[in-house]
Amino acid sequence: MTGKTVVMDHPLIAHKISYIRQESVGTKEFREVIGEIAQLMCYEATRDLKTQEVKIKTPIAEMTGKVLAGKKLAIVPILRAGLGMVDGMLSMIPTAKVGHIGLYRDPETLEPVEYYCKLPADCGEREVFVVDPMLATGGSSVAAIRMLKDKGVKHIRFLCILAAPEGVKRMQEEHPDVDIYIGALDEKLNDHGYIVPGLGDAGDRIFGTK
Ligand code: PRP
Ligand code: URA
């Protein structure tokens, strides 16, 4: 199965991403708008979920409606910055379970360092949405998805708000089965592995650290 790569083409998403890119935007607003973007991206990334028909009774008449069918869902943020996307995702899919993968990028080597992994016990049966605002070199998302696959997860979608072409290529090479949803595709990485033009350090901007 070959995954698809989707760059969001939506005026609201574009507007909100342009807003948070600005260095003048403070922590409170940055965090709120990251949540709103995650909500909109979740809407797009769930477009092809399976539905089934059910008979329902409105106050007026009986009818056949549609409800979600198929696999149950899970959201897995890559700590820390991925946490900023969880509430927005949950506002759209409130019954999803939430797992956590802790990874940070070593500032010298840019290699991901694992420090936490806690997943729903039945994650292998679920459709898993991995979320992280930033796909830069791809080291973190590639490692997180490898950890999920090692735990038996077979159906994975990855959502990021900004991506660099280098990271997208690496993800497509290493996890060709995973669908990738991108809020905006930027130009390149700089010498420190930051996305250009980007928005800076997403974790620091969400949590007000530096
Ligand atoms: C950031 C970001 C991604 C990673 C992307 O996390 O949230 O997880 O870098 O870079 P990569 O594609 O080159 O791996 P960071 O390591 O800064 O940790 P944090 O979320 O705890 O701030
Ligand atoms: N992580 C971030 O938070 N920002 C970048 O530009 C790259 C990695």
Side-chain angles (χ1 to χ4, degrees):
M1 188 178 55
T2 308
K4 57 182 180 234
T5 299
V6 178
V7 181
M8 299 286 160
D9 178 21
H10 194 294
L12 287 177
I13 294 176
H15 179 91
K16 288 173 191 290
I17 291 177
S18 294
Y19 185 74
I20 57 166
R21 284 184 191 275
Q22 301 176 96
E23 64 178 351
S24 56
V25 171
T27 302
K28 175 177 178 287
E29 269 191 302
F30 188 89
R31 190 188 297 139
E32 284 170 0
V33 179
I34 284 272
E36 292 169 12
I37 296 167
Q39 194 173 17
L40 293 166
M41 288 187 65
C42 181
Y43 178 79
E44 291 288 328
T46 50
R47 195 173 274 286
D48 62 354
L49 288 183
K50 289 195 174 52
T51 57
Q52 66 186 32
E53 294 190 340
V54 288
K55 293 251 187 275
I56 52 177
K57 189 170 178 305
T58 78
I60 310 296
E62 292 195 344
M63 65 167 284
T64 303
K66 284 183 181 175
V67 295
L68 287 178
K71 292 191 174 35
K72 292 185 179 162
L73 309 177
I75 302 161
V76 176
I78 302 177
L79 305 180
R80 264 178 321 164
L83 286 175
M85 297 176 70
V86 173
D87 285 351
M89 296 287 295
L90 281 173
S91 69
M92 292 285 110
I93 43 175
T95 58
K97 296 247 168 103
V98 182
H100 295 87
I101 291 181
L103 289 173
Y104 70 87
R105 208 168 67 144
D106 183 287
E108 301 300 325
T109 65
L110 302 184
E111 288 301 316
V113 182
E114 177 188 336
Y115 62 90
Y116 190 74
C117 183
K118 184 80 179 173
L119 301 171
D122 61 353
C123 65
E125 316 306 319
R126 288 177 182 265
E127 178 90 39
V128 174
F129 294 75
V130 178
V131 295
D132 189 328
M134 309 302 271
L135 172 58
T137 65
S140 305
S141 48
V142 163
I145 290 167
R146 171 58 45 216
M147 288 162 72
L148 290 172
K149 288 183 174 175
D150 288 347
K151 304 256 183 200
V153 181
K154 289 178 273 311
H155 301 277
I156 302 172
R157 300 171 192 220
F158 177 67
L159 280 71
C160 61
I161 292 176
L162 287 192
E166 296 89 331
V168 177
K169 182 165 178 285
R170 188 157 166 204
M171 276 282 290
Q172 289 169 335
E173 284 168 2
E174 304 222 20
H175 296 297
D177 55 312
V178 171
D179 291 340
I180 306 169
Y181 296 91
I182 299 167
L185 182 60
D186 274 14
E187 194 187 321
K188 60 179 181 184
L189 294 176
N190 69 15
D191 293 344
H192 304 286
Y194 275 81
I195 299 174
V196 180
L199 51 70
D201 187 305
D204 281 346
R205 294 196 66 187
I206 291 169
F207 294 107
T209 50
K210 194 80 188 120

